[in-house]
Amino acid sequence: MLKKVQSIPGGLMLVPMLLASLIHTLAPQLLEIGNPTTALFTGRGTMAIVGVMLVFAGIQVRVGDLLPAARRGGILIGVKLLIDIAAGLLIMGVFGMDGVLGIPAVAWIACLTSCNPGMYIALMNSCGDRVDKANFAILSVVGLPFVPVCVLGFAQNFSIDYVSILATCIPFFVGMLLSIIDGNIREFAKSGTAVMLPFLGFCLGSSIDLTAALGSWWLGLLLYAVYMVVQLPVLFLIDRKLLKQRGHAAVAICCVAGLALTVPSIMAGADPDYERFREAAMAQLSFTVVISAFVTPLLMKALVAKGDSHTKLNHVDRREAS
């Protein structure tokens, strides 16, 4: 069974996520029987699992990787944030809370600003290097709901929550410190991230209602199409032309995370005016999360394979020319 799951791109996270979403759809109270089951197999355990994964990611990072990681990942993630924030502010400024094309602004912005650190690290485990994996910490910061909340609350003078950023970074640096103190820990924990991926996928999937997602499939598909068109071409070109990579990192960060589903509820709790959009936004985002989880690994496999073939062909041409 394990080999079959691993043969699917991103399968260690994708398969448990789909299983959890199926359970949540058919028997939503099944996992709410109490702790530790509820804490481990529902959305309540998501941040704890992300924290453990950050520790494992930090353990595998060498100090010398930090600058290349900040340069490589920082450029891609920085450009993504600029695009997302600009698009979000444009939607809010022109269309207001009602959004456009039947999709409320809270859904647009929650989707556009989303990235999926879990999917990213799952894909980097198979085709990335140490520097790629170090970017997991940066993605885990920008992937939190505070980014869309800040954009949506801009008119109310919401500020950046620096404490949340610090709280996300601490587990990563704890892991780094452990590996500096004792290098043997790096070997001991080398499979830690991969082991935690199924648990993260299950936690994220436990908040997805497949019935609601399929009921809003056309709007969810539109939301995902815009998400990809706005971001992927620019990021892919930067990854290929500026950073001289295969484009794999750009593809991996263009994936909508399950955490995006929390944004409509967060905003409804902060401002009652968002309550009327909450149910529709969550349904639309649910389909986007599901389709994104399927497409991203397949797109990664196709584009990276094409890039590798092109690289090998150029290498053969240069060798023959010499």
Side-chain angles (χ1 to χ4, degrees), residues 76-298:
L76 283 174
I77 297 168
V79 172
K80 173 176 164 53
L81 277 176
L82 288 175
I83 294 172
D84 299 344
I85 292 172
L89 293 177
L90 179 64
I91 290 171
M92 284 292 288
V94 176
F95 303 105
M97 295 171 65
D98 291 328
V100 62
L101 300 175
I103 303 173
V106 66
W108 279 114
I109 295 170
C111 176
L112 288 172
T113 58
S114 182
C115 61
N116 192 333
M119 179 63 74
Y120 174 86
I121 197 67
L123 295 173
M124 290 305 105
N125 276 339
S126 60
C127 65
D129 56 22
R130 292 201 317 267
V131 176
D132 289 319
K133 294 174 185 177
N135 289 322
F136 176 67
I138 305 175
L139 277 178
S140 295
V141 173
V142 301
L144 293 173
F146 77 83
V147 175
V149 167
C150 285
V151 174
L152 287 162
F154 183 77
Q156 301 175 23
N157 296 318
F158 283 8
S159 58
I160 297 176
D161 188 354
Y162 292 102
V163 176
S164 294
I165 297 176
L166 178 63
T168 305
C169 292
I170 285 176
F172 180 79
F173 289 116
V174 167
M176 282 193 63
L177 180 61
L178 288 172
S179 66
I180 291 172
I181 293 173
D182 186 352
N184 292 323
I185 294 177
R186 185 176 292 115
E187 178 65 22
F188 171 76
K190 65 180 181 179
S191 301
T193 300
V195 171
M196 297 305 296
L197 279 172
F199 294 97
L200 179 61
F202 201 96
C203 283
L204 294 176
S206 66
S207 61
I208 296 175
D209 187 325
L210 293 176
T211 302
L214 292 174
S216 298
W217 71 269
W218 65 94
L219 293 176
L221 186 60
L222 173 62
L223 193 58
Y224 179 63
V226 173
Y227 173 86
M228 294 298 283
V229 169
V230 166
Q231 300 183 98
L232 183 57
V234 175
L235 296 178
F236 190 75
L237 283 174
I238 290 174
D239 204 14
R240 277 283 184 93
K241 303 300 182 182
L242 179 61
L243 301 178
K244 307 300 182 184
Q245 298 196 107
R246 295 170 295 172
H248 63 294
V251 174
I253 68 174
C254 288
C255 183
V256 183
L259 285 177
L261 297 173
T262 65
V263 176
S265 295
I266 292 173
M267 293 309 300
D271 185 346
D273 288 340
Y274 282 99
E275 180 61 38
R276 60 193 174 101
F277 303 112
R278 186 172 65 86
E279 187 175 343
M282 290 187 67
Q284 293 160 9
L285 287 167
S286 292
F287 184 84
T288 304
V289 170
V290 172
I291 193 68
S292 182
F294 271 106
V295 172
T296 301
L298 296 176

